[in-house]
Each structure stands twice: as structure tokens, then as C-alpha cells.
């Protein structure tokens, strides 16, 4: 199985995207200059085109990372579903710039011994930031491989000491009508939920960055959930409140179409969406579709969470 | 000038048709160039599928606009552009299906058969394209002569049903934001209501006309003088 194989390359050893792109450009331009017989002119400096997004680090590597080829940064940051900023894939990249991500606090409340509000910068120091290269499978039938930066959600939940009565975790995301859409496409604010054991699972991540940089707004800045064995919409963006509850929380897509988007929404090639097949997916950047894996390839880690459950009924 | 707009000459019609043909090819050309230059976004196959579907619906609606436009403006020659517009709707529909079969499913016939049978939105879209085929095949003068004007027109009225199927196809595939399919639905509803209204007016007009003097029916009684 390729799933649990530890990454043999430390994130710090990976050449930053901007740098390798710059090097490639440098080589190409240098070649052109050489061909033109004009060597010795002004060559582009290697620092010239580094993006504005601040770097995060140092980052620990994770045994959960996949070694599959990563989806290019440009695709990850221009092909997004973030309906608060528009329903076309290109809308979030165009409109999410209006989102203000500092200052930002996350309230952790509900059935907890020590409920409290965390400042985003405090959150970043709760646990060492790790790079997690995860597969991401959208319910629409496409997928990516994204190098997230973040910390396990469990490390935050432990801080507030969940009570024994807590069984679920609800995530409430920002809805600021001043910068976001007012159209009632979904019942804003967008909410999501997990069972407590799913939330505490070591794969479940609170992401604050990707490609070693601070999370772009369109990807759910400043802090979002990443649950790699579930369809992408479960991974709520721009979280403001995390609530421990004893009842299964209502979730945005489930409220919009109950029979299409279940509470669990685990990636499952055998259970089709009522309107389309989930057996295959198109990895962004690839031409042919590939088979979708049970639990998005994380069955070894998470299948035990659903032992004895009818996954067709609990889709 | 006025005369040209009212009644363009044969060569003028030919140039209008040529210009329209080039214009109708633009969306396809843009997609082809975008594919070549890799500017169709992160998921180019999805972009092509959506754009070809959008243009099929648009050309269907544009085709249905010809008659109202002709009636409102009195420019009867507009009718002579309708066949080309309808054929472009069919061509974009074929491109849409080809994209799905080739680029999207890559000739996975089992998956395609499954989709057509099991996914209502694909069933409906596929049915619409199948129903368009006889219209495309009979869009020539020979077929009109062969079928006779009345039959031909009855056959081609199925385009109303096809357009409805097309809008339903779009509506059913959208996840939550139905604004765009709703726009097509409104446009189509308007075009259909307009026609229904004209039919009604025509019916009333015919009723208003005093019935013609009934022709002699049945036995004709001849009064023959009896000469005695």
C-alpha cells in the first residue's frame, strides 16, 4: 500500500515552487540569450519573482503524506469551490481578496471543560506545523494532491478538554455579507460537522497554509478543516467557531439536498451521488479518469471508524 | 439603404450568411485555441463540456428567436438564416456529446450506458440530441418537398420539446446555484408563451370572421316547372 509509506523527502529539502519555476525560467531565458549570442547582459535574478505570500516554517514531515505528484500551485489556487465568493470555479480566486484574515479568532465552545477563544497566531503555536500532502476528492468527481500546512485538529480540541457527553463537533465558518455573496445559494453561514472520533483522528487537519506558504484566501484562509477521506465540501473554510455538541450538527449541503449529501460523506466509489457516478475521478492535470479509492485511499487509517455501519445508508 | 435592410439582394444575403457562419464558429474557435494554449483553466475538459453545452442551448434559443424577430421587425429575409442557426445548435450539441464520450469518459461504453440509463440529467440531454438528429437531416429543400410543407413543419415543431429537454438537462445537473439554468428557462418560456399567444390570436381572428355562406350540401332540390 502506498498510503502509510513515510515521505522520504523532508519538506525543507523540497525546492520551493517559485524557486524552481524561477530556475526553469532562468535556464530557458539563459538559453535564449546564449542562442542570441548576447550572453553577459542582464540575467534575471533568482529572487525576482517570489510570491508575496509569507513562508511558513520550519515544517515537520508527516508519515501521512502521499508521494504522488502534487497538483500545481496555480490549479490549487484558481480552481476552487468557495460559494460565498461565487459559484464558478474561478470566482473565489477573483473575489476572495476582499476577505480580511487578520485579526482572526476561533471560538471553541460547547461541551468542553475549558471553552475559550483562540487568536489565530496563538493557534499557529499550539503544535508544530507539519506539511501533509493529501489527496483531495471533490464530490463533483475531480481530485487534487495538495501539500497542506497545518496542525492536527486534535491538538486544539485537547486544549479545551471535551466533556464525556461531547459526541460531535460543529464547525461554523465566516459569513460576512460585506465581502461575501448575499445570494441564498446555501443557508449561510456554511456549517459542517464531524463525529468526535473523526475530529480527533490524527489525519484530521486544521490547515493554515499550502505549498509552504500562508493559505490563500480562496482556499479558506486563515484556517480551514481538511478531512482527506471525505468529500471536499466537508473540509469547511475560514472557520470562526468550533462547537462540541451531543447532537449531530446540521451541515450546509445536507440542508440544501438531504438525499444527495449525507452527514458522513466519506469518499466511496460504490455509493453514487444520485445524479452522477462516484466510481472514477479526474485528477486535475490528467487527461484520463482514474478509479476512486475507498475512503479516498485512507481506508487503512479510517475504515475502523465505521465498523459495522451500513455505508450505503450512512452516505 | 432602407431597401437593403428590407429586402437584401441575393448576393447581400450570401454575404450576411457568410458573416454569420464565421460568427457562429467563434465559440468553437476560442475553445480550440484555448486548448492549444492551455488557457481553459485547471480543468479544460470541464470547460469544453460546459461551453459546448451552453452554446447548444444558446443556439437553440437564438433559432427560436428568428420567427418573433421577423414578425416584430417585418424583415422576412431573417427566416433565411434560421436553418444555419439550427444546424449550429445541432453541431454544438454533437461537439458536447463528443466531448463527453471522448474527453470525459474516454469511450468507456459501460460507464456511458450506465450514465444514459441511470442519470436522469444525462438521459434527458441524450434524448434531446437524438431528437435533434431528424431535424438536422431534414433541414433541406429536398426534404421539405419530399415530406410536404405541413408534415415537415409538424416534424420541426418538435424543436420546442427539444429546447425544454435541453433546459431541464442543465437544471438537473446544477448543484445548488440554479440562476443560470433559470435564465434559460425564462427565455424559453417567453418564446413559447409568445407562440401560444399568437396561436390564440389566430384562433380568435378566425372565429371573429363571419362564417362564409354555407355551401349547398346534401341533396340539391331542383325545382322543375311542370308544364301542363
Amino acid at each position: 500500500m502506498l498510503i502509510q509509506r513515510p515521505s522520504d523527502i523532508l519538506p525543507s529539502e523540497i525546492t520551493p515552487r517559485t524557486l524552481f519555476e524561477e530556475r526553469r525560467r532562468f535556464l530557458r531565458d539563459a538559453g535564449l540569450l546564449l542562442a542570441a549570442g548576447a550572453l553577459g547582459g542582464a540575467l534575471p535574478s533568482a529572487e525576482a519573482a517570489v510570491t508575496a505570500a509569507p513562508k511558513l516554517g520550519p515544517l515537520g514531515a508527516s508519515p501521512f503524506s502521499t508521494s504522488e505528484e502534487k497538483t500545481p500551485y496555480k490549479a490549487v489556487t484558481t480552481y476552487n469551490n468557495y460559494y460565498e465568493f461565487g459559484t464558478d470555479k474561478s470566482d473565489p480566486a477573483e473575489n476572495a481578496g476582499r476577505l480580511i484574515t487578520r485579526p482572526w479568532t476561533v471560538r471553541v465552545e460547547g461541551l468542553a471543560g475549558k471553552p475559550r477563544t483562540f487568536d489565530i497566531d496563538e493557534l499557529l503555536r499550539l503544535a508544530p506545523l507539519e506539511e501533509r500532502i493529501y489527496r483531495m476528492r471533490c464530490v463533483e468527481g475531480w481530485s487534487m494532491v495538495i501539500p497542506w500546512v497545518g496542525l492536527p485538529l486534535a491538538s486544539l480540541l485537547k486544549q479545551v478538554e471535551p466533556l464525556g457527553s461531547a459526541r460531535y463537533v460543529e464547525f461554523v465558518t465566516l459569513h460576512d455579507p460585506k465581502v461575501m455573496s448575499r445570494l441564498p445559494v446555501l443557508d449561510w453561514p456554511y456549517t459542517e460537522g464531524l463525529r468526535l472520533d473523526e475530529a480527533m483522528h490524527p489525519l484530521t487537519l486544521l490547515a493554515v497554509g499550502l505549498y509552504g506558504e500562508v493559505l490563500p484566501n480562496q482556499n479558506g484562509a486563515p484556517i480551514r478543516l481538511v478531512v482527506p477521506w471525505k468529500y471536499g465540501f466537508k473540509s469547511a473554510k475560514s472557520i470562526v467557531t468550533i462547537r462540541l455538541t451531543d447532537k449531530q450538527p446540521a451541515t450546509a449541503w445536507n440542508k440544501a439536498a438531504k438525499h444527495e449529501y449525507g452527514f458522513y460523506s466519506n469518499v466511496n466509489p460504490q455509493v453514487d451521488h444520485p445524479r452522477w457516478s462516484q466510481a472514477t475521478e479526474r485528477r486535475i492535470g490528467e487527461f484520463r479518469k482514474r478509479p476512486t479509492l475507498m475512503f479516498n485511499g485512507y481506508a487503512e487509517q479510517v475504515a475502523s471508524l465505521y465498523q459495522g455501519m451500513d455505508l450505503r445508508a450512512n452516505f | 439603404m432602407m431597401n437593403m435592410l428590407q429586402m437584401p439582394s441575393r448576393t447581400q444575403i450570401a454575404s450576411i450568411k457568410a458573416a454569420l457562419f464565421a460568427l457562429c464558429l467563434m465559440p468553437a474557435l476560442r475553445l480550440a485555441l484555448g486548448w492549444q494554449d492551455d488557457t481553459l483553466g485547471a480543468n479544460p475538459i470541464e470547460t469544453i463540456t460546459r461551453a459546448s453545452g451552453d452554446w447548444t442551448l444558446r443556439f437553440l434559443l437564438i433559432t427560436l428567436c428568428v420567427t418573433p424577430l421577423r414578425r416584430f421587425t417585418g424583415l422576412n429575409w431573417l427566416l433565411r438564416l434560421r436553418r444555419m442557426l439550427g444546424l449550429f445548435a445541432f453541431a454544438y450539441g454533437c461537439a458536447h456529446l463528443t466531448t463527453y464520450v471522448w474527453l470525459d469518459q474516454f469511450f468507456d461504453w459501460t460507464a456511458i450506458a450506465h450514465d444514459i440509463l441511470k442519470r436522469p440529467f444525462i438521459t434527458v440531454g441524450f434524448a434531446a440530441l437524438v431528437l435533434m438528429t431528424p431535424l438536422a437531416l431534414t433541414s433541406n429543400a429536398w426534404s421539405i418537398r419530399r415530406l410536404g410543407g405541413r408534415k415537415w413543419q409538424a416534424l420541426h415543431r418538435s424543436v420546442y420539446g427539444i429546447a425544454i429537454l435541453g433546459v431541464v438537462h442543465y437544471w438537473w445537473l446544477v448543484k445548488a446555484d440554479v440562476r443560470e439554468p433559470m435564465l434559460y428557462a425564462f427565455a424559453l418560456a417567453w418564446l413559447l408563451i409568445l407562440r401560444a399567444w399568437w396561436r390564440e390570436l389566430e384562433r380568435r381572428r378566425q372565429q371573429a370572421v363571419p362564417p362564409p355562406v354555407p355551401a349547398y350540401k346534401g341533396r340539391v332540390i331542383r325545382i322543375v316547372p311542370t308544364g301542363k
Side-chain angles (χ1 to χ4, degrees):
Chain A
M1 280 308 273
L2 46 85
I3 298 159
Q4 238 165 357
R5 214 195 60 167
S7 167
D8 40 17
I9 309 166
L10 281 168
S12 53
E13 287 178 282
I14 299 169
T15 311
R17 175 187 55 82
T18 46
L19 201 58
F20 74 65
E21 281 177 357
E22 185 59 33
R23 282 180 194 160
R24 284 178 190 173
R25 204 165 66 100
F26 176 88
L27 287 171
R28 193 198 59 205
D29 293 350
L32 283 174
L33 282 172
L34 201 64
L39 195 68
L43 293 175
S45 96
E47 270 76 37
V50 173
T51 58
K55 293 268 176 290
L56 293 166
L59 304 174
S62 167
F64 293 126
S65 285
T66 169
S67 56
E68 286 165 84
E69 194 188 332
K70 286 175 278 183
T71 305
Y73 181 85
K74 191 175 175 216
V76 175
T77 56
T78 56
Y79 189 78
N80 307 99
N81 275 328
Y82 193 162
Y83 274 23
E84 287 88 335
F85 290 108
T87 53
D88 276 349
K89 295 285 184 295
S90 54
D91 286 341
E94 282 164 27
N95 302 329
R98 300 196 290 258
L99 179 68
I100 294 160
T101 57
R102 287 290 192 288
W104 190 281
T105 57
V106 179
R107 172 89 192 141
V108 188
E109 59 181 36
L111 302 172
K114 291 178 177 170
R116 70 184 187 89
T117 302
F118 294 82
D119 186 79
I120 183 72
D121 293 312
E122 183 191 356
L123 265 171
L124 293 175
R125 289 190 302 269
L126 275 185
L129 291 182
E130 292 174 43
E131 177 163 76
R132 299 267 186 108
I133 308 170
Y134 280 164
R135 289 174 290 276
M136 209 277 298
R137 168 66 156 79
C138 178
V139 74
E140 294 166 359
W142 52 269
S143 65
M144 294 185 179
V145 176
I146 305 174
W148 300 107
V149 177
L151 60 154
L153 173 62
S155 61
L156 171 64
L157 292 178
K158 279 174 195 155
Q159 295 280 323
V160 299
E161 297 174 7
L163 299 179
S165 52
R167 295 197 44 223
Y168 294 93
V169 186
E170 181 182 17
F171 302 86
V172 184
T173 69
L174 181 75
H175 185 247
D176 181 355
K178 285 197 293 293
V179 295
M180 291 167 161
S181 162
R182 287 158 210 258
L183 291 166
V185 178
L186 291 170
D187 186 8
W188 314 124
Y190 190 97
T191 57
E192 257 307 336
L194 294 173
R195 233 167 44 188
L196 186 61
D197 58 343
E198 295 175 324
M200 296 298 282
H201 193 279
L203 275 174
T204 306
L205 194 72
L206 277 176
V208 295
L210 56 82
Y211 268 101
E213 295 173 358
V214 165
L215 203 59
N217 289 358
Q218 62 269 34
N219 294 85
I223 189 161
R224 67 169 292 171
L225 190 62
V226 177
V227 195
W229 72 92
K230 292 177 180 279
Y231 292 119
F233 68 88
K234 291 295 290 181
S235 297
K237 299 180 175 80
S238 308
I239 294 167
V240 291
T241 306
I242 297 174
R243 193 174 293 134
L244 289 144
T245 69
D246 54 357
K247 282 188 286 292
Q248 184 174 301
T251 61
W253 276 103
N254 183 255
K255 281 193 276 181
K258 195 160 65 241
H259 55 290
E260 298 193 344
Y261 310 99
F263 174 77
Y264 285 95
S265 288
N266 293 316
V267 175
N268 187 342
Q270 283 135 44
V271 178
D272 286 341
H273 184 280
R275 288 185 283 157
W276 54 81
S277 163
Q278 295 291 27
T280 58
E281 67 200 49
R282 171 163 293 108
R283 179 70 50 85
I284 293 300
E286 291 181 356
F287 182 65
R288 297 282 295 272
K289 286 188 169 181
R290 53 165 70 209
T292 288
L293 304 175
M294 189 64 202
F295 296 114
N296 201 22
Y298 298 96
E300 217 168 290
Q301 290 91 346
V302 301
S304 59
L305 294 175
Y306 309 102
Q307 209 91 60
M309 259 175 75
D310 179 359
L311 297 179
R312 219 162 260 287
N314 299 284
F315 58 95
Chain B
M1 184 62 209
M2 203 55 220
N3 196 40
M4 185 209 141
L5 190 62
Q6 287 298 328
M7 215 187 287
S9 70
R10 191 186 288 252
T11 49
Q12 280 164 338
I13 286 272
S15 356
I16 292 170
K17 276 189 177 173
L20 185 66
F21 187 84
L23 198 67
C24 293
L25 273 179
M26 294 306 277
L29 198 68
R30 272 184 57 185
L31 286 177
L33 289 177
W35 176 268
Q36 206 193 336
D37 302 346
D38 196 18
T39 55
L40 297 179
N43 195 347
I45 294 174
E46 182 190 61
T47 308
I48 293 179
T49 309
R50 289 211 46 181
S52 55
D54 281 346
W55 281 105
T56 307
L57 260 183
R58 285 173 199 159
F59 273 109
L60 267 174
L61 294 181
I62 293 170
T63 310
L64 289 178
C65 282
V66 171
T67 297
L69 206 63
R70 182 176 70 104
R71 285 187 63 152
F72 289 139
T73 61
L75 304 177
N76 287 326
W77 58 269
L78 287 175
L79 196 59
R80 293 164 71 179
L81 306 175
R82 191 172 62 178
R83 177 192 305 169
M84 191 201 293
L85 293 168
L87 284 173
F88 265 107
F90 182 65
Y92 278 99
C94 289
H96 187 56
L97 179 70
T98 309
T99 310
Y100 164 74
V101 169
W102 180 16
L103 301 182
D104 190 49
Q105 298 290 344
F106 208 82
F107 310 110
D108 182 346
W109 298 110
T110 331
I112 292 167
H114 243 250
D115 266 358
I116 292 174
L117 295 173
K118 273 183 71 182
R119 322 276 166 219
F121 88 91
I122 295 182
T123 315
V124 163
F126 188 72
L129 192 68
V130 167
L131 290 172
M132 273 169 95
T133 314
L135 306 197
L137 291 177
T138 57
S139 64
N140 48 65
W142 182 79
S143 294
I144 300 175
R145 273 200 307 278
R146 181 73 204 254
L147 288 166
R150 198 175 279 270
K151 255 195 197 159
W152 184 89
Q153 203 175 25
L155 172 66
H156 280 247
R157 283 216 175 100
S158 61
V159 73
Y160 304 138
I162 290 166
I164 292 172
L165 291 179
V167 172
V168 169
H169 167 65
Y170 189 12
W171 196 297
W172 280 355
L173 76 87
V174 164
K175 259 167 72 198
D177 186 4
V178 291
R179 276 176 300 156
E180 252 183 83
M182 206 185 277
L183 222 67
Y184 287 100
F186 278 136
L188 178 62
W190 186 79
L191 289 166
L192 295 183
I193 288 168
L194 196 63
R195 283 169 167 82
W197 173 239
W198 282 336
R199 260 182 110 93
E200 175 62 18
L201 283 185
E202 178 64 19
R203 199 183 61 83
R204 284 190 200 168
R205 196 180 60 79
Q206 284 190 0
Q207 270 183 352
V209 172
V213 184
Y216 289 109
K217 276 187 197 167
R219 275 177 295 168
V220 176
I221 302 161
R222 287 177 75 186
I223 300 162
V224 183
T226 53
K228 269 192 183 161

